[in-house]
Amino acid sequence: MLPFALGVPVLVLPVAAATVQPSARTLGLVAASYFFLALCLTSVLWGNTVVDDSSLLDTVNGWFFGAGFLMVWSTLFSGVAVARYCRRS
């Protein structure tokens, strides 16, 4: 449940950064989204350190595709937010 709770800010913060008025807060939202992304992926790995091999393999496969989606999502919206911030400055 913890990875899902940590994944919500990863989905929300970059979108908020891309849609709000560009300011110094934009860069804070971008940094916070990557921080929560690191916490989310670390909690997935930490939670599966004591499981059997097949569960670990399933976790690695899910982590790979989940991490890929979260990284693309976060990078896409963060890139838009930073571009808007740089254009304004």
Side-chain angles (χ1 to χ4, degrees):
M1 188 67 181
L2 183 62
F4 293 114
L6 292 171
V8 171
V10 175
L11 297 173
V12 173
L13 289 175
V15 175
T19 57
V20 298
Q21 183 74 7
S23 66
R25 186 175 300 160
T26 300
L27 300 179
L29 290 171
V30 168
S33 72
Y34 281 107
F35 175 74
F36 280 108
L37 178 62
L39 286 178
C40 178
L41 300 178
T42 302
S43 70
V44 168
L45 291 177
W46 180 262
N48 289 301
T49 56
V50 293
V51 296
D52 60 355
D53 291 338
S54 63
S55 295
L56 187 59
L57 184 60
D58 291 340
T59 300
V60 169
N61 288 332
W63 184 75
F64 176 73
F65 292 112
F69 170 75
L70 289 176
M71 285 299 293
V72 168
W73 177 274
S74 190
T75 302
L76 175 72
F77 284 104
S78 295
V80 169
V82 170
R84 288 182 65 214
Y85 176 76
C86 290
R87 186 177 304 152
R88 181 175 176 262
S89 298

